[in-house]
């Protein structure tokens, strides 16, 4: 049977202790993160230790602890970076009119292009799939995911409110959160299953969204 996850105490610090400003320090900081990503892929979060990171990276424990108090802070930094990349891609897509289009095929193609990019980005990110699993498994870090998704849903909400002024704020909030959750669920599905055709999956999500919003402001 798999071992139960050992949840850390709630008062364990999650923030980096120091942000490097000099080139050499920045190199050390990045080596720690890259090495942690590699080890996450190989053995998962439960087996990840700061000693293993130091051994693989050729660092002394004091060099690592200068920046990170524990492995949870390292994961938080990795998670922040990955979600920031994902969120920035979504915001840029919205700014460029990603939700707009004269025809269904155009709108579906735009959504599919975004989701394919996010999937590819997550697959390329060091330890991307393992980071996602760890953020879902460690309750004290789940707030990172919730905050990111709430922020993206808020941006979608502004666009939908302008497009559908007759729809209630509650329905807008529900729809945007559903939209974000479905998008990230599809991303996780594609990343966790490398054999998945990312483009085909992304196009199907695009069709679902387009069909849904075709009748979004209909009176039920």
């Amino acid at each position: 049977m798999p071992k139960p996850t050992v949840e850390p105490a709630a008062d364990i610090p999650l923030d980096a202790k120091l942000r490097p400003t000099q080139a050499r320090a920045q190199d050390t900081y990045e080596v720690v993160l890259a090495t942690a990503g590699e080890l996450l892929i190989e053995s998962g979060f439960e087996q990840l230790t700061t000693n293993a990171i130091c051994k693989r990276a050729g660092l002394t424990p004091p060099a690592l602890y200068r920046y990170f108090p524990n492995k949870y802070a390292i994961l938080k930094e990795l998670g922040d970076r990955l979600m920031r990349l994902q969120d920035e891609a979504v915001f840029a897509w919205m700014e460029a009119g990603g939700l707009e289009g004269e025809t269904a095929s155009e709108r579906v193609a735009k959504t599919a292009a975004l989701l394919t990019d996010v999937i590819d980005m997550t697959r390329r990110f060091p330890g991307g799939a393992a980071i996602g699993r760890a953020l879902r498994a460690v309750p004290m870090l789940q707030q990172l995911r919730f905050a990111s998704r709430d922020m993206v849903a808020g941006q979608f909400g502004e666009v939908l409110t302008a497009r559908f002024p007759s729809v209630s704020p509650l329905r807008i909030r529900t729809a945007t959160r559903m939209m974000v959750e479905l998008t990230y669920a599809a991303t996780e599905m594609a990343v966790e299953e490398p054999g998945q055709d990312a483009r085909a999956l992304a196009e199907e999500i695009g069709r679902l969204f387009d069909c849904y919003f075709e009748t979004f402001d209909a009176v039920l």
Side-chain angles (χ1 to χ4, degrees):
M1 295 179 59
K3 295 186 299 182
T5 299
V6 178
E7 176 60 18
D11 59 353
I12 285 182
L14 295 178
D15 293 320
K17 295 164 66 176
L18 180 67
R19 298 286 177 174
T21 56
Q22 298 181 346
R24 184 174 180 181
Q26 184 68 39
D27 288 344
T28 300
Y29 192 86
E30 296 300 326
V31 164
V32 170
L33 293 173
T35 303
E38 293 173 2
L39 292 173
L40 279 170
I41 295 172
E42 295 175 14
S43 56
F45 183 68
E46 288 189 4
Q47 302 304 315
L48 181 70
T49 66
T50 53
N51 284 339
I53 295 171
C54 289
K55 183 177 179 180
R56 172 71 64 87
L59 298 172
T60 63
L64 183 151
Y65 289 126
R66 175 177 174 81
Y67 304 105
F68 298 102
N70 52 62
K71 71 175 187 177
Y72 296 95
I74 295 172
L75 176 63
K76 179 178 181 292
E77 177 66 16
L78 288 170
D80 278 341
R81 289 189 177 195
L82 176 57
M83 288 182 290
R84 188 161 55 246
L85 284 173
Q86 294 171 335
D87 294 348
E88 287 173 354
V90 175
F91 296 148
W93 175 80
M94 282 192 283
E95 183 69 22
L99 286 168
E100 302 167 3
E102 293 296 324
T103 65
S105 60
E106 182 183 353
R107 294 188 296 270
V108 169
K110 284 185 175 183
T111 300
L114 168 68
L115 187 51
T116 301
D117 285 346
V118 172
I119 290 169
D120 289 343
M121 177 190 307
T122 307
R123 284 175 170 174
R124 291 193 305 268
F125 194 90
I131 291 168
R133 287 194 294 271
L135 291 178
R136 294 193 299 272
V138 181
M140 68 188 297
L141 293 171
Q142 288 177 358
Q143 187 56 39
L144 294 178
R145 296 170 59 245
F146 298 151
S148 170
R149 294 179 184 192
D150 282 343
M151 181 172 60
V152 174
Q155 293 286 337
F156 273 123
E158 292 180 10
V159 175
L160 293 184
T161 296
R163 180 183 292 183
F164 303 106
S166 64
V167 176
S168 71
L170 175 59
R171 191 173 181 205
I172 292 284
R173 286 195 301 271
T174 302
T176 54
R177 189 54 192 263
M178 178 199 71
M179 192 175 175
V180 171
E181 290 295 336
L182 183 55
T183 298
Y184 283 109
T187 300
E188 291 169 0
M189 176 180 173
V191 172
E192 293 284 356
E193 303 175 29
Q196 282 284 347
D197 184 327
R199 184 69 189 188
L201 181 61
E203 288 176 350
E204 204 60 32
I205 294 296
R207 293 186 188 99
L208 288 172
F209 285 161
D210 195 64
C211 289
Y212 177 62
F213 286 115
E214 274 290 291
T215 59
F216 186 63
D217 57 351
V219 178
L220 300 180

